[in-house]
Amino acid sequence: MNIILFDVDGTLTPSRGTMNPEFKQYFLNFQKKFKVCFVTGSDSAKTIEQVGSDVFAAAQYSFNCSGNEIYKNGKLQSTTGWTAPDTLIDYLEICLEHTHYTEKCGNHIERRPGMVNFSVVGRDATQEQRDLYYEWDKKHNERSQIATAINWRWANELQADVGGEISIDIFPKGKDKAQILDNFKNKDKITFFGDRTEEGGNDYTLAKRIIDERRGEVFQVKDWKETWKKLKSMYMIDDDV
Ligand code: M1P
């Protein structure tokens, strides 16, 4: 079986943004012809808000919370009761106190099934506040430094990856996006589109596993526009399917 697998933020939508309406129309037709799956650090409520309940339900699988919560054809199939250690939460509070970034907008530590999402500027940031932090972080590499510190301090226990624009995803070691391959047969061919397939990015371990285990192909994209362009050049779909 051929599976076409997509990251969401930065690949099908702007980070935390909604899907472009023309792309969405194309994508709904695409889903009628091909087996589509999603993999994202976000929880299902955010994914539905971004792609719409129609696109979400038409996906064979949506692997949310980095694969720690799984939806099949829009219905919850499995989840995990993992809770973050108090020592991690204490450390994240310290990071918040000591950051050189001054604007804090609220909702900094978001507990999701099987993971924690941490953001110095906060998940309640407006688009403008989000853009300011994203630009600042590109110069100061704060997220990458925090992720490295977590990966060093909890080397046997936890894993932190940089994804999206303002946050870090943290989960039990190995419970990252790469785990989702266990839901497919070895003979299934996976074609994966992601915007953070570089080392340290939250699509990296999955992309690496697909290549190392010869499970399919990986396409790094810079945004949803590039994804759409690639899909149009790679796959034929009839507009009135
Ligand atoms: O998939 C990784 C992250 O992508 C987005 O991150 P940010 O808000 O930093 O741009 C969000 O969807 C986040 O929830 C998710 O974990």
Side-chain angles (χ1 to χ4, degrees):
M1 194 186 294
N2 286 335
I3 311 285
I4 311 182
L5 176 65
F6 298 90
D7 165 55
V8 178
D9 293 83
T11 300
L12 289 181
T13 71
S15 215
R16 285 301 292 124
T18 54
M19 209 169 181
N20 166 280
E22 285 85 43
F23 180 36
K24 178 168 168 158
Q25 200 44 57
Y26 166 89
F27 201 80
L28 278 165
N29 283 334
F30 188 86
Q31 284 179 299
K32 287 181 188 149
K33 187 147 181 201
F34 298 101
K35 289 245 177 276
V36 164
C37 296
F38 301 135
V39 57
T40 170
S42 275
D43 52 35
S44 60
K46 291 187 186 66
T47 306
I48 292 169
E49 196 181 291
Q50 290 174 256
V51 302
S53 48
D54 41 4
V55 167
F56 184 77
Q60 186 194 23
Y61 285 108
S62 180
F63 300 101
N64 286 91
C65 305
S66 303
N68 292 303
E69 186 156 276
I70 305 177
Y71 290 79
K72 191 170 184 192
N73 303 123
K75 304 254 178 315
L76 181 63
Q77 200 186 44
S78 67
T79 189
T80 150
W82 178 81
T83 49
D86 291 343
T87 50
L88 171 68
I89 303 298
D90 293 345
Y91 178 73
L92 298 177
E93 303 278 10
I94 291 169
C95 292
L96 271 181
E97 251 174 61
H98 292 273
T99 175
H100 293 294
Y101 197 74
T102 47
E103 192 167 29
K104 315 260 169 53
C105 307
N107 194 9
H108 302 275
I109 302 173
E110 189 172 86
R111 294 169 195 258
R112 299 179 185 163
M115 62 172 279
V116 169
N117 180 267
F118 175 65
S119 170
V120 162
V121 66
R123 303 216 58 78
D124 292 346
T126 61
Q127 188 60 47
E128 201 189 333
Q129 290 164 331
R130 167 181 273 276
D131 293 345
L132 285 173
Y133 180 79
Y134 184 46
E135 290 308 318
W136 182 86
D137 186 55
K138 275 196 219 159
K139 285 193 204 115
H140 299 272
N141 280 317
E142 181 182 58
R143 290 188 299 159
S144 168
Q145 285 166 25
I146 296 173
T148 303
I150 293 170
N151 288 328
W152 178 79
R153 180 161 167 193
W154 285 276
N156 300 317
E157 227 186 310
L158 299 176
Q159 185 179 329
D161 288 338
V162 176
E165 294 175 342
I166 58 163
S167 62
I168 299 167
D169 291 331
I170 309 160
F171 24 72
K173 195 171 169 106
K175 294 289 180 185
D176 58 26
K177 289 184 178 183
Q179 66 178 318
I180 72 155
L181 285 189
D182 299 337
N183 293 276
F184 299 108
K185 297 195 175 79
N186 267 332
K187 61 175 191 228
D188 289 336
K189 180 182 178 248
I190 318 281
T191 304
F192 175 47
F193 295 83
D195 70 323
R196 299 303 305 262
T197 62
E198 78 287 357
E199 196 162 358
N202 69 348
D203 296 323
Y204 174 73
T205 54
L206 172 57
K208 186 170 183 323
R209 195 173 160 199
I210 292 171
I211 302 299
D212 289 353
E213 295 179 14
R214 298 175 192 273
R215 303 283 293 270
E217 290 180 288
V218 173
F219 294 93
Q220 162 80 32
V221 292
K222 63 175 191 305
D223 55 22
W224 65 267
K225 291 181 193 149
E226 193 179 357
T227 305
W228 192 7
K229 206 168 151 190
K230 275 205 189 321
L231 293 181
K232 284 197 279 195
S233 71
M234 291 167 62
Y235 303 97
M236 292 293 289
I237 63 161
D238 192 349
D239 273 337
D240 11 276
V241 191

